[in-house]
Amino acid sequence: MEILKKNKAVVRFLGVFFGTYIVLTLAYQFYLDNVESEVYFPEPITHIVALQTESLISFFGYETKIIPSHYDPSMRLGINGNYLVRVVEGCNAMSVIILFLSFVLAFKKDWKTTLLFILAGSVLIYAFNILRIALLTIGIYEIPEYQELMHGTLFPIFIYGFVFLLWIFWIRNYRTEEKPIHE
C-alpha cells in the first residue's frame, strides 16, 4: 500500500486513462452493435466520413464518387471511375478520438478547460482524418506504386503524430493549481 501512496499521481493517471478508454470503447462497440441504417451504410459515422472525404477530394479538383460496397461493410471511394479505397469503420477516427480523450481526461485540469480542449481536439482530429483519407486516396490515384507505404506507414504516422502533438500541447499547458501551504 505504501507504493500506491507514493505513486498516487501515476495510479490516478492509469486508472482514469484505462477506465475512460474501456468505458468509451465499450460504449462505441455498443453503438456499432446496435445502430442499423439503410441510408447510412455501413453505419452513420463512417458514412458521413466517406461523404465528407468525397467532398474534399472534389474540392481538390478530382472527379470522385462513393458507393456502398457489396462485399463488406464499407464505402468504396474512387477518382475518375477507379475505386481506389474502402472507407471502413476503422477509418472514421473514433478509436483515435477515444484514445485522445482518455489521455486528456487522465491529465484533467479544470473541467471547463479540459472539456473545451477535448471538444476542439476531437473536431481537429476528425477534420485531420478526413484530410488524411482524401490525401491517401489522391496519393493512390497519382502514385499507386507507393500505396503500401502510404497506407501502412505514412498516413498512420500522419494521424497518430497529430494526436501526439495535441497531447504534448496539453501537457505543456497543463498546470495543476498549487495549493497554498498553511503553517
Side-chain angles (χ1 to χ4, degrees):
M1 281 307 198
E2 188 64 32
I3 195 163
L4 293 178
K5 287 181 183 179
K6 285 182 180 180
N7 297 298
K8 185 176 161 182
V10 173
V11 171
R12 181 194 165 287
F13 171 84
L14 292 173
V16 172
F17 175 80
F18 286 112
T20 303
Y21 185 79
I22 290 167
V23 167
L24 291 177
T25 299
L26 290 173
Y28 180 57
Q29 188 60 53
F30 179 80
Y31 159 82
L32 290 174
D33 291 343
N34 291 289
V35 67
E36 287 191 29
S37 174
E38 292 186 23
V39 176
Y40 297 105
F41 180 80
E43 45 78 26
I45 298 171
T46 303
H47 189 88
I48 292 167
V49 166
L51 287 173
Q52 292 170 333
T53 303
E54 176 189 38
S55 294
L56 184 57
I57 293 170
S58 292
F59 175 79
F60 289 145
Y62 291 88
E63 183 184 318
T64 185
K65 185 174 181 180
I66 60 168
I67 60 170
S69 174
H70 298 293
Y71 308 107
D72 57 7
S74 68
M75 296 297 290
R76 296 176 63 208
L77 179 58
I79 296 177
N80 294 334
N82 297 321
Y83 290 95
L84 304 164
V85 300
R86 295 176 311 118
V87 180
V88 299
E89 177 274 321
C91 299
N92 68 19
M94 288 307 297
S95 61
V96 177
I97 291 170
I98 289 170
L99 184 66
F100 164 77
L101 189 150
S102 300
F103 184 86
V104 172
L105 276 179
F107 270 110
K108 179 182 79 63
K109 187 177 179 180
D110 60 88
W111 279 108
K112 181 179 177 185
T113 304
T114 303
L115 292 177
L116 285 174
F117 189 75
I118 285 171
L119 178 62
S122 296
V123 168
L124 286 171
I125 291 166
Y126 182 88
F128 209 67
N129 185 59
I130 290 170
L131 177 62
R132 175 186 77 94
I133 298 168
L135 292 176
L136 177 61
T137 305
I138 292 167
I140 291 171
Y141 178 74
E142 294 291 343
I143 46 175
E145 61 272 18
Y146 293 104
Q147 177 178 344
E148 289 302 317
L149 175 67
M150 288 185 288
H151 185 265
T153 305
L154 296 180
F155 285 94
I157 289 172
F158 191 73
I159 192 75
Y160 287 110
F162 183 69
V163 171
F164 182 73
L165 291 175
L166 288 174
W167 285 345
I168 295 299
F169 178 82
W170 179 246
I171 291 169
R172 288 186 61 119
N173 293 290
Y174 170 74
R175 302 281 186 263
T176 55
E177 284 72 34
E178 292 185 28
K179 297 177 183 170
I181 300 173
H182 298 288
E183 295 181 21

